[in-house]
Amino acid sequence: MADPVGAIGIQADLAALAAMGCHGLSVITALSIGDTTGTEDTQEVEPDWVADQARVLLEDMPVAAFKVGHIGSVETVSVIAEIVSDYPELPLVLDPFATSLPDQGSDEELLLAMRELLIPQTTLLLVSVDELSRLAETWREPSQDNMVDTDASQIIEFGCEYLFVTGVPGEAHSVTNLLFSENGLVRSASWPRQTGPFIGAGNTLSATMTAMLANGLDVPEAVAEAEEFTHAALSHAQRLGMGKRVPDRYFWAREGDAETPAT
């Protein structure tokens, strides 16, 4: 998805990928209208256009990893799943939800299509606790119990290699993230809760993980590096508009404390 603010979507991904030394290629699935407070509306790109964008790029250049973000329709899920199936040797990072899109994740048919077509091909799926619960309701009844471990196990059974869950309930002043694989919980990390609110934290995480996988790291190492980088980017986040703070993916390259103007 193209985001005019550059906080989420393609623009945010490209910034994080560049910060990690990668050249990102972009396939647009939707155009958005929004600002630093959130996204007001989106215009989905026709699935055939999504497919054509990807096929032309893939016929021209070698690719080291895939990252899939916003998906607005079952048809788009289908064309993306078909494309990535032609490259089973490449890692696929799936980060389909965005907190700035309040209605995302409410379409059961879309969730079911992702579960059946994309998740079985996914190397690393990123979801929050709430997003995991919504996804889990495609195979179980809603529950008020803590179902994270059970739901994670089921996601892995569907064929997903790793599941990364953010925002796990814990101490009030920290944020806990969990990484699961077929061996169960393989990593748990807690980070001090920072002053927000933020827009684009999730994009920074998933794009950095993708870059690390493209650079040859294994998943647990990629997750650890991405968490550390994202924490630093949030520490240097800037209030570029009147809404939420935007992570600074280039904090390491800046001199002094001058704010970066929006252009």
Side-chain angles (χ1 to χ4, degrees), residues 73-103:
S73 70
V74 172
E75 293 77 15
T76 300
V77 171
S78 297
V79 299
I80 293 173
E82 182 178 353
I83 290 166
V84 299
S85 70
D86 292 338
Y87 301 86
E89 74 282 1
L90 297 183
L92 167 62
V93 176
L94 178 59
D95 180 17
F97 304 110
T99 55
S100 62
L101 301 176
D103 295 331

Side-chain angles (χ1 to χ4, degrees), residues 12 18 46 59 68 71 75 99 120 128 150 159 211 226-227 233-234 243 253 255 263:
E46 289 290 332
E59 289 172 4
V68 176
I71 311 172
E75 293 77 15
T99 55
S128 69
T150 301
E227 285 186 291
L234 294 178
E255 294 182 3
T263 57

Side-chain angles (χ1 to χ4, degrees), residues 159-226:
C160 183
E161 190 173 349
Y162 286 89
L163 171 68
F164 183 78
V165 184
T166 64
V168 177
E171 296 183 8
H173 301 293
S174 65
V175 177
T176 299
N177 304 322
L178 305 178
L179 179 67
F180 296 90
S181 74
E182 63 180 2
N183 297 319
L185 180 64
V186 296
R187 174 179 166 82
S188 175
S190 294
W191 299 86
R193 189 177 297 276
Q194 301 192 54
T195 302
F198 303 102
I199 181 171
N203 262 96
T204 306
L205 260 175
S206 57
T208 306
M209 290 174 184
T210 306
M212 293 295 98
L213 293 176
N215 285 326
L217 274 65
D218 62 22
V219 171
E221 290 176 322
V223 167
E225 292 286 341

